[in-house]
Amino acid sequence: MPRTYFDRDAPIVALATAEGHAALAVIRAAGHGAIDLVARCFSRPNALSAAIGYRAVHGWIVNPRSGEKIDEVVVLVFRAPRSFTGEDAVEISCHGSPAVAKSILDLLLNEGFSQALQGEFTFRAFAEGKTDLVRAEAVNELARASCEAARHDALQRLSGALSNRLDAIRDLVIDVLADINARLDYPEDESLDEEGRWMGILQRARSELDDLIQGYPGSKLRQEGLLVVIAGRPNAGKSSLFNLLVREERAIVSPEPGTTRDWLESWISIGEFAVRLIDTAGLRNTANTIEAEGVRRSTALLSRADLILYLVDGTTGIDAEDAAFVTRYPNAMLLWNKADLPMCAPAPSSWLPLSAKDIHTFGRFESILTDSLRAQVRGAEDARDFEAQVRIAGERQARLVRQARDALCQASEAHVAHAGLDLVALHVRESAEYIGEITGEIAPDEVLERVFSTFCVGK
Ligand SMILES: Nc1nc2c(ncn2[C@@H]2O[C@H](COP(=O)(O)OP(=O)(O)O)[C@@H](O)[C@H]2O)c(=O)[nH]1
Ligand SMILES: [Mg+2]
């Protein structure tokens, strides 16, 4: 039978660094007996077995059966409970080639370790009570963060800001639940005032949950990045702008209209955000079937874009097609390109003059672009509050926060409809359980398996 997360007796091992060549690779092992098992494959077994926690021990990984040396390494020792998983653990820093890492891993698997499942180290930390589920997920978010905004938010969750906020909301709900249950047990203590007070507290919890729900779209953009699409008529300078933003010559730039027949894309950083930047084909009506397909795909991307950069060649100006585009996509950022050329007309108001050939106008454009991405991400939120805000992450958290909020709405509807205090209590309890599931206070095994199986191996 394959191992599961709940087989926690086995010591586990995995490569913690990316596959491929690097200066170093790190192999991580944890679990009961992990230090002694590694010591059996180490040139200085006694030094390792006797090492206190947080000690680094230098030596060689050696095959105990053949005596063959495999690599020169440094082994960092962690003693339970003062380790990431709460168990005895080691991290072996070896030379960073796939050949070295694989030989060491194979040896350790042969000597009694089990291959760790995805996220199993973090699962064990959770199971040992070292972390709650929100913070465990934040570990994975940090490992995957692709931009500064994602790093910032994940770190905030790792440090417990979201867990504390959720615990505080859950406390409000549970206090009310306890009071309602006491009333159900001793109905003679009835006082209508009390019910009003309970509903007031639940309303407060609900508006806290609403805040978290409202922040979610922005949180998702900060974590997953934004889709930015460059559009405009052929020859407006789209590919030139794309190359400038990507900082390399990817797109073919040509004075021949209709050169970019499909779309090109690249992930780049703009300010603190990850951006999927797309250079579209020109949007003209065309009889050429390949180009027409490019236009169709471009239009589909435009409808999903978080921000559209619309370019016009300032030496030819706005035509009916441009005007139609601007009407159809009123939030597009309007760029008056080729401002370096003497025959370029002055930019009309609401158009930003730009030269895709001149790095000086480009700096100003980049900072305006960053600001408009920030505005897009925070939506209606106040700019100052937004940075410090605690955000939820991922569909799992978002779904549970919505369910917790909806259960509180149902509780208040039951109260208004005089449906009976026991029905109110039922919904209040549901809400508390949903919140408990977010932090993992209450989390069925299959929920945990689903969460941790999205992690990397070695995490
Ligand atoms: N002088 C000048 N030429 C530009 C500028 N942007 C693009 N071009 C030129 O305009 C032509 C079309 O540019 P390209 O980026 O291929 O346009 P696209 O069809 O919109 O992708 C090329 O010859 C570019 O070198 C600009 O800001 N200034
Ligand atoms: Mg082009």
Side-chain angles (χ1 to χ4, degrees), residues 313-348:
D313 179 341
T315 64
T316 57
I318 302 171
D319 77 354
E321 200 179 316
D322 299 319
F325 188 97
V326 173
T327 310
R328 181 155 173 208
Y329 301 100
N331 296 325
M333 187 169 177
L334 306 177
L335 301 171
W336 194 254
N337 194 30
K338 310 198 186 180
D340 58 299
L341 293 177
M343 63 275 211
C344 184

